[in-house]
């Protein structure tokens, strides 16, 4: 099977098959296990407690990787700056850790990731660091902190399970959950073979003219355009934006609405992060919706939510252990099945038959460079596609 046939269209059939299974049929190495810490038994919940629910989740195999049972106990407090968006889901997992470890607590400050990145840099420069750890929903904000030397390298043992593409230079940060750009399309209207392999081909594809949707105000879309600018140059990117606008691409407020419109048949296809299709399919298993992924360009960008150790913290050991918990089998299963994120470790499958990360072919760019957003906003304005 070629990369294209493996990676572009797998989740529809798998989602239907998964609906036939259930957790009762899964091997569960986590149930009933305990770990010793501070003189008392600490119970780790069963796998089902970490796993989401629904048609695209049922019947999954037990995750591989290191179990929480195998990690040292968490003890102490962390001051965490956590980005908005998926931050509520991430805090749900943190709450589970606090339940497992009574002597562990997290004090969090929740704001947009870009704002928190700026705050961290300013605090470090002023010698008044407040945070121990920064959890950003995107690599751009992590890259901004790293470029301004406001971080301390993470320990090798914390990063070890994650592929190099999803780590910062000098161990500056590590991805804990991924999201892929994708092309949701309506299977009642168009076939997979009609979806272009390159994003540059979309404006000239007759079957898609006037039938596509996008959400230019959305942060993920701006990151996608930034990736195109970095890979193809500003002029080519501006021309593409203009061509898509002139082709009648329909503007929506966010990418979930784009994906819903595709599933409803109001659009033939669109541009969106992969997990919006997962949400639709979990609610509507029979929706005529599938995903395509372009090859080697911005249409197949894989971005990450990740964590960075803030310069000046004195909690190196606790941070190392906490990050290892975020990359445990249970945590990665939680992120994959609750937020439908791409797992960052081998042995944990993405939901719904999605291609694995190593089966995708994203553009060869440094994710930290996505922080350079201003030229992208100027390009979008020039092209009449203002965010």
């Amino acid at each position: 099977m070629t990369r294209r046939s493996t990676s572009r269209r797998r989740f529809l059939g798998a989602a239907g098959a998964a609906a036939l299974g259930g957790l009762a049929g899964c091997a569960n190495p986590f149930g009933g296990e305990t770990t010793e810490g501070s003189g008392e038994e600490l119970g780790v919940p069963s796998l089902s407690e970490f796993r989401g629910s629904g048609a695209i989740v049922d019947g999954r195999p037990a995750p591989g990787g290191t179990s929480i049972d195998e990690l040292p106990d968490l003890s102490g407090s962390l001051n965490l700056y956590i980005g908005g968006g998926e931050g509520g889901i991430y805090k749900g997992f943190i709450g589970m850790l606090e339940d497992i470890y009574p002597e562990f607590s997290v004090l969090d400050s929740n704001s947009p990731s870009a704002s928190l990145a700026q705050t961290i840099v300013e605090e470090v420069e002023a010698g008044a660091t407040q945070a121990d750890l920064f959890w950003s929903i995107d690599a751009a904000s992590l890259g901004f902190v790293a470029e301004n030397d406001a971080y301390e390298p993470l320990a090798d043992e914390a990063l070890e399970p994650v592929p190099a593409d999803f780590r910062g230079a000098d161990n500056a940060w590590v991805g804990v959950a991924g999201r892929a750009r994708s092309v949701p399309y309506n299977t009642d209207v168009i076939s997979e073979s009609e979806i272009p392999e390159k994003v540059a081909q979309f404006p000239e594809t007759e079957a898609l003219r006037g039938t596509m949707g996008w959400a230019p105000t959305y942060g993920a879309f701006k990151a996608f355009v930034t990736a195109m600018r970095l890979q193809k140059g500003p002029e080519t990117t501006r021309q593409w934006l203009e061509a898509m606008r002139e082709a009648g691409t329909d503007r929506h407020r966010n990418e979930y609405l784009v994906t819903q419109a595709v599933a409803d048949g109001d659009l033939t296809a669109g541009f969106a992060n992969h997990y919006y299709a997962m949400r639709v399919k979990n609610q509507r298993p029979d929706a005529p919706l599938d995903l395509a992924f372009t090859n080697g360009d911005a249409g197949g960008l894989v971005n990450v939510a990740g964590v960075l150790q803030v310069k000046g913290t004195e909690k190196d050991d606790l941070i190392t252990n906490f990050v290892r918990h975020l990359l445990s089998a249970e945590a990665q299963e939680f992120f994959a099945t609750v937020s439908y994120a791409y797992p960052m470790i081998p042995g944990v499958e993405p939901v719904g038959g999605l291609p694995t990360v190593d089966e995708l072919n994203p553009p060869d760019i440094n994710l930290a460079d996505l922080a350079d957003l201003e030229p992208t906003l100027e390009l979008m304005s020039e092209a009449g596609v203002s965010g």
Side-chain angles (χ1 to χ4, degrees):
M1 184 174 287
T2 65
R3 176 183 295 274
R4 174 173 177 169
S5 60
T6 299
S7 65
R8 285 166 58 90
R9 190 184 176 203
R10 285 182 44 195
F11 88 81
L12 181 59
L20 301 176
L23 287 176
C26 294
N28 183 359
F30 304 111
E33 297 292 333
T34 60
T35 182
E36 296 290 333
S38 303
E40 61 180 314
E41 284 194 344
L42 304 177
V44 177
S46 66
L47 176 61
S48 63
E49 296 299 312
F50 291 96
R51 183 176 275 172
S53 61
I56 65 172
V57 172
D58 292 347
R60 284 171 57 82
T66 301
S67 170
I68 288 175
D69 283 325
E70 302 170 47
L71 297 175
D73 294 352
L74 289 169
S75 180
S77 63
L78 280 177
N79 291 328
L80 174 68
Y81 283 2
I82 185 166
E86 294 97 340
I89 293 174
Y90 300 148
K91 285 197 285 187
F93 179 75
I94 292 171
M96 296 184 74
L97 292 181
E98 290 176 318
D99 289 341
I100 295 169
Y101 302 108
E103 296 183 3
F104 172 67
S105 63
V106 174
L107 304 174
D108 63 81
S109 296
N110 187 357
S111 291
S113 291
S115 298
L116 289 174
Q118 185 66 48
T119 298
I120 289 169
V121 170
E122 292 172 355
E123 289 179 350
V124 169
E125 289 177 347
T129 304
Q130 301 295 313
D132 298 309
L133 194 70
F134 176 36
W135 191 337
S136 170
I137 65 167
D138 60 74
S141 296
L142 297 169
F144 178 80
V145 175
E147 288 169 4
N148 283 277
D149 194 30
Y151 76 98
E152 292 183 3
L154 291 163
D156 288 340
E157 62 182 308
L159 298 156
E160 187 272 331
V162 178
D165 288 345
F166 305 116
R167 308 181 197 175
D170 188 35
N171 288 10
W173 52 266
V174 64
V176 297
R179 57 184 180 272
R181 297 301 294 171
S182 66
V183 180
Y185 66 95
N186 188 294
T187 57
D188 285 345
V189 180
I190 196 170
S191 67
E192 181 268 343
S193 62
E194 296 175 273
I195 305 294
E197 288 194 31
K198 297 291 185 181
V199 74
Q201 298 168 339
F202 277 76
E204 61 197 45
T205 301
E206 192 60 36
L208 296 175
R209 290 183 65 84
T211 68
M212 288 201 66
W214 61 12
T217 62
Y218 215 51
F221 183 85
K222 295 171 187 175
F224 152 68
V225 176
T226 301
M228 186 184 301
R229 176 178 60 81
L230 293 171
Q231 186 185 40
K232 300 297 184 181
E235 182 60 22
T236 297
T237 303
R238 183 185 60 78
Q239 291 174 356
W240 183 85
L241 288 167
E242 290 176 345
M244 287 300 302
R245 177 177 57 78
E246 292 168 358
T249 304
D250 199 22
R251 187 183 180 101
H252 291 257
R253 189 171 71 253
N254 61 54
E255 293 184 348
Y256 180 68
L257 294 178
V258 170
T259 307
Q260 283 275 31
V262 172
D264 292 340
D266 297 331
L267 296 172
T268 297
F271 298 109
N273 279 343
H274 80 277
Y275 49 74
Y276 293 114
M278 300 295 103
R279 293 181 188 177
V280 173
K281 291 295 291 186
N282 212 34
Q283 298 162 359
R284 302 161 54 189
D286 295 328
L289 178 68
D290 212 328
L291 288 180
F293 300 86
T294 63
N295 287 318
D297 61 21
L301 176 69
V302 180
N303 204 340
V304 295
V307 291
L308 172 149
Q309 182 171 325
V310 178
K311 192 171 187 176
T313 181
E314 298 180 352
K315 300 180 179 178
D316 299 46
D317 291 343
L318 177 56
I319 289 171
T320 297
N321 194 12
F322 179 70
V323 174
R324 292 182 70 193
H325 276 74
L326 299 183
L327 296 171
S328 68
E330 292 92 338
Q332 293 295 295
E333 182 73 2
F334 181 93
F335 301 147
T337 61
V338 175
S339 66
Y340 310 130
Y342 262 97
M344 289 285 100
I345 65 171
V348 180
E349 296 181 2
V351 293
L354 284 166
T356 59
V357 165
D358 60 355
E359 290 174 324
L360 298 176
N361 187 19
D364 185 16
I365 63 170
N366 184 344
L367 291 177
D369 290 341
L370 297 175
D372 187 19
L373 194 59
E374 193 61 36
T376 297
L377 299 180
E378 293 175 2
L379 270 180
M380 292 176 66
S381 179
E382 292 171 4
V385 188
S386 294

